[in-house]
Structure formats: structure tokens, C-alpha cells
Amino acid sequence: MKFGIIVFPGSNCDHDIYHVIKDVLKQPVEYIWHTEHNLSGFDCIVLPGGFSYGDYLRCGAIARFSKVMEALRQFADSGKLVVGICNGFQILCEAGFLPGALQRNKDLKFICKHIHLKVENNKTKFTKKYGRGEVLRIPIAHGEGNYTCDKQTLASLKKNNQIVFTYHGENPNGSMLNIAGICNKKRNVIGLMPHPERASESILGSTDGLRFFKSILSR
């Protein structure tokens, strides 16, 4: 499986993802600049965390207009896998790949710490290596991770079992229904605020994130 990592001006977690895919999982991976218009040859595209240009207006609101996003839409429509982590999640929501939006944390402060995460849906291409209801320990690092949507969208997410991860034990940012990650109806696009790439080696204090990537490989 060949991975591609989209790099926006301001991205800074792209190297973390690259290391996990190349050095831990031993899979082929390439960086993709945000002006690229051809994603053929890739099987899974990752939008990394960090930042993207224009975030000072609203996270992901400018990055959504990048040239690569048109190619990414064709890529996702073909059924291939798309992962958005943190800022990547924000961009996927802003671009309409996923419903809802991420707003400022409830206390208006940047949060960086390990949290507990509950697996609500292990029937996706990204979570099949987890047990349903399993509690994971994975770090977060964001200022705008407070997930919100309207009542109709929330009802649709619940009805279609699109809520994949929720915060467990505490809700660090005020997200609706403790939502930490959702997928689209086709289940080939996922966005999550926690960073599984930062919990993929024991030296980092947790390996609970590694099965997220191993799930993708076992599709």
C-alpha cells in the first residue's frame, strides 16, 4: 500500500506521519505538495496535523481551496482511503468531506496532553484492529478541537454509526457528545483530533495508535 502525505504551508506533523509509515510500518510513502493535482498511484492519503496557511482566519478555511483538494475529492469518490488528523480533520470538515466543524476549545486554551479515547465503531477500515468499546491512550494537541454540528447532522451521524472515537473520562475541548473522530457514510474518509502517529512507539509512552495504521494495512 502506498501512502501520500499532503503538505500545506504550515504543516508540521507531516514528518511524524512519514516516520511511522516509512520506519515503523515499512510502507512506501511520499510527501505531496498542496499544489499537486494528480493523486493516482496512491492508496491512502493523509492530511497531517500542525497548521495550514490561513489558519489565523479559521482553521482549514483557506487550505480547503488548495489545488490538491480537487484531486483529493476525486480520490475519495473512487473509494480510496483518506485520513485527516487534527488540522487535517479541520480541513476535511471545511472542504465538506466530513460534516460539522471544529471550533475553539471550551476554555479557549491550547491543550497538549495524553487523553483516553473510546472506540465507538470498530467496523471501519481504520479501526478493525481495535475492539468496540476499547479505551486507548493517545495524545491531543490543539486549540480548535471542539466538534460541533447541527441537530440534523448529529442525528445522521448517530443513525449511520459515523462516530468512530469519543473522549473517555473527560471531554478536554467541549466537543458535542464527546466526539473525537468521525467518518463519512462510505467509511473511506475519517477525521480525528487525537494523534495516533504520536502513540505508535513505546518510546512515546503508548503504542495504542499503531493499530490505527495497521487497520488500514489489513483492509
Side-chain angles (χ1 to χ4, degrees), residues 1-4 28-30 32 36-45 71 75 78 80 219:
M1 170 174 276
K2 186 172 183 178
F3 289 80
V29 57
E30 290 182 13
I32 302 168
E36 180 59 61
H37 57 79
N38 183 2
L39 298 179
S40 62
F42 294 99
D43 302 298
C44 179
I45 298 295
F75 184 88
S78 73
K80 292 187 176 181
R219 68 182 181 135

Side-chain angles (χ1 to χ4, degrees), residues 120-166:
E120 299 289 348
N121 183 354
N122 68 340
K123 303 296 184 184
T124 78
K125 298 176 176 64
F126 313 97
T127 55
K128 62 177 65 174
K129 291 289 186 181
Y130 295 114
R132 183 180 179 188
E134 184 176 354
V135 176
L136 315 175
R137 184 172 179 270
I138 291 180
I140 57 173
H142 58 250
E144 293 85 15
N146 183 350
Y147 181 82
T148 188
C149 62
D150 59 36
K151 291 182 179 179
Q152 291 77 14
T153 299
L154 186 62
S156 179
L157 288 173
K158 294 168 66 177
K159 178 182 177 182
N160 295 302
N161 205 19
Q162 291 174 249
I163 300 173
V164 182
F165 296 111
T166 57

Side-chain angles (χ1 to χ4, degrees), residues 1 17 25-26 28 32 60 66 69 71-72 81 101 105 108 123 128 137 148 154 158 162 173 175 177 186 196-197 208:
M1 170 174 276
I17 290 286
L25 297 171
K26 310 297 183 185
I32 302 168
S66 296
M69 297 304 288
L72 185 66
L81 304 183
N105 296 340
L108 304 181
K123 303 296 184 184
K128 62 177 65 174
R137 184 172 179 270
T148 188
L154 186 62
K158 294 168 66 177
Q162 291 174 249
N173 50 36
S175 284
L177 286 185
K186 291 174 62 176
E197 77 278 15
D208 286 347

Side-chain angles (χ1 to χ4, degrees), residues 57-74:
L57 296 173
R58 191 176 69 235
C59 294
I62 298 301
R64 62 168 290 198
F65 294 109
S66 296
K67 195 169 185 177
V68 73
M69 297 304 288
E70 182 178 341
L72 185 66
R73 191 171 302 281
Q74 296 173 5

